[in-house]
Amino acid sequence: MGWCGRCHLPDRIRARMVLLRVTVTCGVLALAMAVGQAANPTTDAFTRNEIVPDLIDVAPEQTIKITYPESDVEVSLGNQLTPTQVRSRPKLCWDAAPNALYTLLMADPDAPSRSNPEMRSWKHWLVGNIPGADVDAGEVLADYVGSGPPQGTGLHRYVFLVYKQEDRVTFNETVLSSRNPNRGKWNPAQFVNQYKLGDPVAGNFYQAQYDDYVPELPRFLPTVGRHTVKGLARCTIPSTVVNGVPLSCLGGWQSRFARNPGRMSDFVRDMRNHKIVPDVVPVPPESLLHVVYPGGLRVNLGNVLTPTEVKHVPEVSWPDAEPDAYYTLIMTDPDAPSRTAPKFREWHHWLVVNIPGLDLAKGDTLSDYIGAAPPRKTGLHRYVFLLYRQNERIYYKESRLSNRSTQGRGKFSTHKFSEKYELGLPVAGNFFQAQFDDYVPKLYRQLGHFQNAF
């Protein structure tokens, strides 16, 4: 009788075929298991370079494609790039679901150095509610700032992470411009937990160390010269100086507006036009401080008020004040005794420090408030309010000054004071102008002087 197929194979041959099939099947399974167990290159790189656990607990499996178009370089799981190459914002791409929202962060866990990361982590970029992988359409929480590792601190790791959001997130974060100094000691894990972002779905990183571009970054970054405990920089490279600050330290801020003059706000323009920059500060604050005197009189970028109208302490507010942060408030006159002959520049009128949130009543007053008192026939004086965010509560070694004396008020320098206590750049400001009126002699009598109040 004839036969067809394996159903009619002799038992001996059929047994051999079953054994062969089992052997092949097991071999395929073993190969599949070996492939599955092989290290994911992204996960392996994050673990090998100790980003796990220095920054995150679980490494991402997907690699973000990151390119810097201006310098034509690509980020590749720990390759070395230079601050010069990464100074401009990169392009990113990852395998994103088209209808999903994502959060992107970039952080340096090695600030100021990998061996001494006391400022871990430094926030370089933060964008939320990104539709798909369209970063430009996301909500910027912190502007991109390139690498600025301090000289002599070796390689830093600059880590990009993408998180998939469950839904649109309402972020309760202070939005940071590229000049804002409040980026150190940021905890990405705490941020991720607060907004329930889970584990990162994609990541990448490069390494960089100091190069000659670093001094051109905004001077609040912990990148130039020697690093201080508070994360601020001292620029030591000789260059043109404005109000005691080397221009090379301000290059990042200046070039930003030089390339995009349309982005300069009316606020910044007014501060510059009235020469608050550079007479008082080297760069303008980034936002408007709200100052209101009794009767609803508002300070508004150089508007003219009278000494009579500003004789009482104003109300000061700033929408972006962080309740858990401390602030320093300064009111100063750079035109003492006159704008044409400011030999007493500056004459400070008010100084309050360690202000929790922006609750002035709970701050430490170093200099009681004294209203405007420009001498007769000296024209308009500028009265400038500046707000600084402190990195922590500070012990100020300054004399307490009452509003019954002019002692210690003249020849004050806002810039030197901010440097002394490492306050960085002002986060908010405003100013008005005033000239002599009939209230001024009364204020002079209160101060015990007739000619030395301004």
Side-chain angles (χ1 to χ4, degrees), residues 78-87 108 110 112-114 124 146-158 206-215 217 222-224:
N79 60 325
Q80 289 188 33
L81 300 175
T82 68
T84 301
Q85 291 173 322
V86 300
R87 62 184 179 182
D108 171 12
D110 304 324
S113 69
R114 189 162 178 178
H124 281 262
S147 299
Q151 194 164 11
T153 60
L155 289 169
H156 288 225
R157 298 162 294 174
Y158 295 90
Y206 65 86
Q207 300 180 80
Q209 58 186 334
Y210 178 93
D211 77 358
D212 290 341
Y213 170 72
V214 171
L217 285 166
T223 57
V224 188

Side-chain angles (χ1 to χ4, degrees), residues 56 58 101-105 126-130 141 161-171 173 186-202:
I56 51 177
V58 178
L101 296 172
Y102 295 85
T103 291
L104 163 72
L105 67 84
L126 184 59
V127 187
N129 293 320
I130 302 169
L141 303 175
L161 295 167
V162 168
Y163 295 82
K164 186 177 181 181
Q165 300 172 196
E166 293 182 358
D167 202 346
R168 177 168 289 276
V169 175
T170 301
F171 290 99
E173 302 289 318
W186 183 56
N187 188 331
Q190 184 176 325
F191 174 86
V192 167
N193 289 336
Q194 180 178 350
Y195 297 107
K196 298 180 174 61
L197 299 178
D199 294 327
V201 296

Side-chain angles (χ1 to χ4, degrees), residues 262-274 301 431:
R263 292 179 62 184
M264 186 180 291
S265 67
D266 291 340
F267 165 63
V268 171
R269 188 174 293 111
D270 286 339
M271 296 290 281
R272 294 176 67 87
N273 287 344
H274 285 273
L301 297 175
F431 68 103

Side-chain angles (χ1 to χ4, degrees), residues 36 62 66 78 162 205 253:
Q62 184 189 153
I66 305 172
V162 168
F205 67 102
W253 181 88

Side-chain angles (χ1 to χ4, degrees), residues 138-363:
E139 179 183 347
V140 178
L141 303 175
D143 281 346
Y144 177 83
V145 172
S147 299
Q151 194 164 11
T153 60
L155 289 169
H156 288 225
R157 298 162 294 174
Y158 295 90
V159 184
F160 297 81
L161 295 167
V162 168
Y163 295 82
K164 186 177 181 181
Q165 300 172 196
E166 293 182 358
D167 202 346
R168 177 168 289 276
V169 175
T170 301
F171 290 99
N172 183 26
E173 302 289 318
T174 298
V175 177
L176 304 180
S177 76
S178 59
R179 297 185 303 110
N180 195 300
N182 306 311
R183 292 174 178 255
K185 294 188 177 180
W186 183 56
N187 188 331
Q190 184 176 325
F191 174 86
V192 167
N193 289 336
Q194 180 178 350
Y195 297 107
K196 298 180 174 61
L197 299 178
D199 294 327
V201 296
N204 208 336
F205 67 102
Y206 65 86
Q207 300 180 80
Q209 58 186 334
Y210 178 93
D211 77 358
D212 290 341
Y213 170 72
V214 171
E216 296 184 28
L217 285 166
R219 74 183 300 276
F220 65 78
L221 295 174
T223 57
V224 188
R226 67 176 179 83
H227 177 79
T228 68
V229 173
K230 301 297 183 295
L232 300 176
R234 307 279 187 188
C235 187
T236 58
I237 296 176
S239 60
T240 303
V241 172
V242 173
N243 207 26
V245 180
L247 282 180
S248 61
C249 296
L250 307 176
W253 181 88
Q254 290 179 327
S255 59
R256 175 186 173 198
F257 287 114
R259 291 191 299 266
N260 301 287
R263 292 179 62 184
M264 186 180 291
S265 67
D266 291 340
F267 165 63
V268 171
R269 188 174 293 111
D270 286 339
M271 296 290 281
R272 294 176 67 87
N273 287 344
H274 285 273
K275 300 192 184 307
I276 307 302
V277 177
D279 288 353
V280 180
V281 286
V283 294
E286 62 186 17
S287 59
L288 186 68
L289 187 66
H290 301 296
V291 183
V292 183
Y293 281 94
L297 293 170
R298 293 184 175 273
V299 173
N300 188 22
L301 297 175
N303 60 325
V304 177
L305 300 175
T306 68
T308 302
E309 291 171 329
V310 300
K311 63 183 178 181
H312 297 300
V313 176
E315 293 182 1
V316 179
S317 62
W318 182 50
D320 294 329
E322 302 169 50
D324 297 327
Y326 289 100
Y327 294 88
T328 290
L329 174 68
I330 299 171
M331 176 188 172
T332 189
D333 171 12
D335 305 324
S338 69
R339 189 161 179 177
T340 56
K343 64 180 179 180
F344 294 118
R345 175 177 293 173
E346 302 156 23
W347 206 93
H348 76 280
H349 286 253
W350 198 17
L351 180 53
V352 187
V353 302
N354 292 325
I355 305 168
L358 210 52
D359 189 347
L360 277 170
K362 294 182 179 179

Side-chain angles (χ1 to χ4, degrees), residues 335 337-341 373-381 434-437 440 444 451:
D335 305 324
S338 69
R339 189 161 179 177
T340 56
R376 193 188 302 267
K377 296 182 180 180
T378 59
L380 289 169
H381 287 223
Q435 59 186 335
F436 181 92
D437 77 356
V440 173
Y444 287 177
Q451 294 298 329

